[in-house]
Amino acid sequence: MKLSVRMAASLAALVAAGLTATACAPQTSDNSSSGKDDKSGTLRVWLFQEVNNAPKKKVVDAAVADFEKAHNGAQVKVEYIPVETRAQRIKAAFNDPKSAPDVIEYGNTDTAGYVKDGGLADVTKEFTAWTEAKDTDPTARQSVTVDGKIYGAPFFVGVRALYYRTDVFKELNLEVPRTQGELIDTAHAIRAAKPDLYGLAVGGAYTYGAMPFIWANGGELAQGKGGSYASAIDSADAQKGIKTYTSLFGDTNCPAAKCAGMGGNDTVTAFASGKAGMAIGGDFSHAAIEAGKVKGKYAVVPLPGLKAGEIAPAFAGGNNVGVLKSTSHHTLAVDLMKQVASKETQGELFDAMGFLPTYTDVRGDVAKKEPFVEPFVKTLAAGAKFVPASPAWAQIDASLVLPTMFQEVVSGKKDVPAASKDAAKKMNDAFSSVG
């Protein structure tokens, strides 16, 4: 999935944000179906706000127009919500059906948690009977499946790779990095030659930009344990990756005062605006970068691993579209979900935003016509990774456990062993809370 968290620059604000997210998130009630299935009226949809949202809105508007034309008496109101506040808003919606949307976009890492909260409707029967669903990528289908039941439709898949400035590399006579060590050396070389640029834009709140460094070093987020999970973020291998990533914060690459609070969208914006020589961005970042100052002056390669020829494992994310259990328009909402997540819409979203389709046939078609997809497809093929399939992950994510860990190390408040040990305890508390 492609998710980012904006954090205050100071550690105090960061920790406060984490505590607030934990303490103030509303408790979820035992949500149940409204018992109604109105065939007309207004349906509300919440979709995520993108860095450059206009192309996405244009595609969605067309899909909505087709839906309204095919469903006489139905109207659709779409609202674009910030990714950063999704946890609080969606939790609140689960508790307040009267103000809740009928259909939502949600990150695939949130599926298990939202099902446990009782917020998503079981659409197994409708999805299984849907003709287009047979071509859904098995991994994408798994992202909407909990305990054998389906709770939405895959919307797009996403993976990250290394964007770099071809003009800067040519000017400084730099080679494309083949290893993690070369990547760091190259970042320092760019910063030394061009102090107005970040060598490699990094962010203390960019969890999925940091994870490839941990995974490449053999670390893991967590390990399965007794039907649940136990954190592994404080293992020796994970600590190597944390040290590598946090070493990139400083005056020789990306100053901590500016970069410690940056999330994924911030690093992409820095690159697109010409303020960075390199950045870790997703296939879904393509449209925003094309709309920026670096258009025509960049290329993309898989993020290198420890050895030449290796690709660092990337998080295979993506978003889904689901129906809320509380909707009073269940049939219409399911039809709208299908329209928004259809092959036609996903193909148009790829053209508009660069989002990789979840249908194998559609993805094959777009890969043939757009060469920029190749490094992302290679990254997926090399072996991508996922977060623990536990309802606890939403709590861990919303509580900013990993961003807090990175920030504590970058600020010098704690060393890597201490910060990772504290993060592991918080993760284990979350895993224990869901059984």
Side-chain angles (χ1 to χ4, degrees):
M1 166 199 85
K2 58 154 193 88
L3 303 178
S4 64
V5 184
R6 290 190 190 277
M7 297 168 17
S10 69
L11 176 62
L14 174 70
V15 174
L19 292 175
T20 300
T22 304
C24 297
Q27 296 297 311
T28 307
S29 62
D30 182 15
N31 207 349
S32 59
S33 173
S34 68
K36 297 181 180 179
D37 192 13
D38 297 334
K39 299 303 190 294
S40 64
T42 300
L43 284 82
R44 298 180 62 208
V45 180
W46 286 358
L47 301 179
F48 290 157
Q49 178 88 29
E50 307 297 336
V51 176
N52 178 16
N53 202 61
K56 179 177 182 178
K57 183 178 184 301
K58 184 176 180 180
V59 172
V60 171
D61 285 349
V64 166
D66 288 343
F67 173 83
E68 291 179 337
K69 183 177 181 180
H71 296 80
N72 187 36
Q75 297 85 39
V76 178
K77 180 180 179 181
V78 181
E79 180 181 353
Y80 293 89
I81 66 173
V83 174
E84 296 83 2
T85 58
R86 76 190 190 286
Q88 296 93 324
R89 290 200 62 176
I90 293 177
K91 280 270 193 177
F94 290 168
N95 281 307
D96 186 12
K98 291 183 179 179
S99 64
D102 301 272
V103 176
I104 61 169
E105 177 181 358
Y106 64 93
N108 63 5
T109 60
D110 294 326
T111 305
Y114 290 170
V115 170
K116 182 177 184 294
D117 289 342
L120 293 176
D122 178 353
V123 295
T124 306
K125 181 179 179 180
E126 296 94 332
F127 186 89
T128 303
W130 184 22
T131 304
E132 293 191 355
K134 66 179 175 57
D135 294 320
T136 300
D137 182 300
T139 304
R141 180 169 179 147
Q142 184 181 359
S143 77
V144 294
T145 304
V146 178
D147 295 332
K149 296 180 179 180
I150 297 173
Y151 293 90
F155 193 34
F156 65 85
V157 293
V159 70
R160 292 166 177 80
L162 180 68
Y163 286 78
Y164 69 95
R165 288 277 297 275
T166 51
D167 57 336
V168 172
F169 272 59
K170 182 178 180 180
E171 179 186 345
L172 301 181
N173 196 29
L174 297 171
E175 297 290 333
V176 177
R178 298 170 302 164
T179 67
Q180 200 173 86
E182 289 182 4
L183 174 67
I184 294 171
D185 290 343
T186 302
H188 290 159
I190 293 171
R191 179 71 174 178
K194 293 181 172 293
D196 57 325
L197 296 182
Y198 303 137
L200 171 65
V202 291
Y206 193 7
T207 299
Y208 299 115
M211 290 317 301
F213 293 85
I214 294 174
W215 286 324
N217 280 277
E220 296 288 350
L221 286 169
Q223 299 285 358
K225 181 181 178 182
S228 183
Y229 287 90
S231 176
I233 199 65
D234 59 343
S235 70
D237 288 338
Q239 287 187 35
K240 291 178 185 176
I242 296 168
K243 288 177 181 176
T244 302
Y245 186 69
T246 54
S247 73
L248 289 162
F249 293 82
D251 293 339
T252 59
N253 177 55
C254 203
K258 293 184 177 179
C259 301
M262 295 199 329
N265 283 352
D266 299 314
T267 62
V268 169
T269 299
F271 184 82
S273 62
K275 296 179 181 178
M278 298 182 289
I280 300 168
D283 53 274
F284 42 82
S285 307
H286 180 255
I289 292 174
E290 277 288 289
K293 293 182 179 180
V294 299
K295 179 180 174 64
K297 297 183 289 186
Y298 73 92
V300 187
V301 294
L303 189 68
L306 298 186
K307 300 177 182 178
E310 289 182 351
I311 295 175
F315 167 65
N319 288 359
N320 303 325
V321 179
V323 173
L324 264 66
K325 187 185 291 187
S326 61
T327 182
S328 59
H329 301 85
H330 181 85
T331 299
L332 284 175
V334 170
D335 285 350
L336 181 57
M337 175 193 77
K338 293 178 182 178
Q339 185 76 50
V340 172
S342 68
K343 289 185 177 183
E344 181 181 5
T345 302
Q346 288 194 22
E348 291 175 354
L349 274 174
F350 172 82
D351 292 337
M353 301 294 296
F355 293 170
L356 283 177
T358 64
Y359 302 99
T360 53
D361 55 339
V362 180
R363 190 159 67 221
D365 291 341
V366 301
K368 291 177 183 177
K369 68 179 182 179
E370 289 291 357
F372 86 84
V373 171
E374 183 180 4
F376 301 103
V377 173
K378 283 185 176 180
T379 300
L380 283 167
K385 288 182 173 287
F386 297 86
V387 298
S390 167
W393 182 254
Q395 179 182 336
I396 292 167
D397 191 28
S399 299
L400 307 177
V401 172
L402 297 181
T404 297
M405 176 187 70
F406 294 129
Q407 178 73 21
E408 288 174 337
V409 175
V410 170
S411 69
K413 181 179 179 181
K414 295 178 183 176
D415 60 16
V416 172
S420 61
K421 182 178 180 181
D422 288 348
K425 183 181 184 304
K426 293 174 185 176
M427 291 175 69
N428 286 332
D429 287 346
F431 289 136
S432 297
S433 71
V434 299

